Amino acid sequence: MSEYAIKLVEISLTAAQARQRAPVVTSWLLDRGVITPNLARDEIMAPSEFRAGPRCSAAAPEADRWVGGGHTGIDVVAARTVHHATGNYEPPTCPHCGCVAINDDDHHAFIEPWLHDRVEPSVRCVVCGRSTLAGDLEGRWSFHIGDLAVVFHNWPPLHDGFVAELGAVMGPRTRVVVARH
């Protein structure tokens, strides 16, 4: 069985801001009953700090039926990380023309400098020629780099409204990455 994750990644916070925001995000999720502490952590089957809470369906319509078996935990990550779509990666599209903006190799060449130098690259679309910050390219099957993320392991699709609300709590440039390993 493959692992699946929906990752909300805030790409504009500094490391210090992410460490300050992580407890706020965690409290917001706990207060709404979307998550609850995982009191039965298991390194293999339930390694996450949190599990689905009593009102998890507020986040995802099928959550009540879907989560609970296997690894369906939630992690709030306050560390600079590449959040990559892995097995279902697709190059991102241009927000101006909707075409694939950059080829795979050139896109992946951005990872190291963006991760380590903390300078978000600008991308010139290969179709329309307009420049866009890498984090503003579109595509849930791509990657983003950030210091704060909320990772929903093996959850069903999240409500768009929930994603928008949680994104607003996380910061001004929260992006979604959907990964399959």
Side-chain angles (χ1 to χ4, degrees):
M1 181 176 146
S2 65
E3 290 287 313
Y4 172 79
I6 301 169
K7 306 172 182 189
L8 277 71
V9 183
E10 204 333 296
I11 65 172
S12 65
L13 300 178
T14 66
Q17 291 169 325
R19 285 190 303 274
Q20 291 173 341
R21 187 77 51 95
V24 173
V25 169
T26 301
S27 292
W28 187 87
L29 290 163
L30 287 166
D31 291 347
R32 279 152 187 76
V34 172
I35 66 172
T36 191
N38 182 0
L39 302 177
R41 287 180 86 171
D42 174 89
E43 192 173 315
I44 303 295
M45 293 304 293
S48 294
E49 184 176 0
F50 301 99
R51 62 183 181 80
R55 292 191 301 273
C56 60
S57 62
E62 299 291 321
D64 287 332
R65 296 183 324 183
W66 188 314
V67 301
H71 179 33
T72 56
I74 303 94
D75 291 303
V76 178
V77 180
R80 189 144 184 91
T81 305
V82 177
H83 296 276
H84 197 289
T86 314
N88 57 326
Y89 169 82
E90 292 179 4
T93 59
C94 175
H96 307 291
C97 70
C99 295
V100 171
I102 188 169
N103 71 45
D104 295 359
D105 291 336
D106 290 343
H107 190 221
H108 280 91
F110 289 149
I111 291 175
E112 292 294 322
W114 191 4
L115 178 65
H116 299 296
D117 299 338
R118 296 181 168 272
V119 176
E120 183 179 357
S122 182
V123 176
R124 181 174 302 281
C125 177
V126 296
V127 176
C128 73
R130 294 179 72 180
S131 290
T132 303
L133 288 173
D136 293 336
L137 295 173
E138 297 177 347
R140 292 179 174 226
W141 316 111
S142 186
F143 68 80
H144 285 288
I145 297 172
D147 289 278
L148 177 63
V150 179
V151 181
F152 294 84
H153 299 279
N154 298 311
W155 274 54
L158 302 174
H159 287 296
D160 289 341
F162 172 78
V163 170
E165 286 181 58
L166 178 54
V169 174
M170 292 175 68
R173 293 183 73 210
T174 300
R175 304 296 187 253
V176 177
V177 174
V178 180
R180 183 165 305 280
H181 303 276

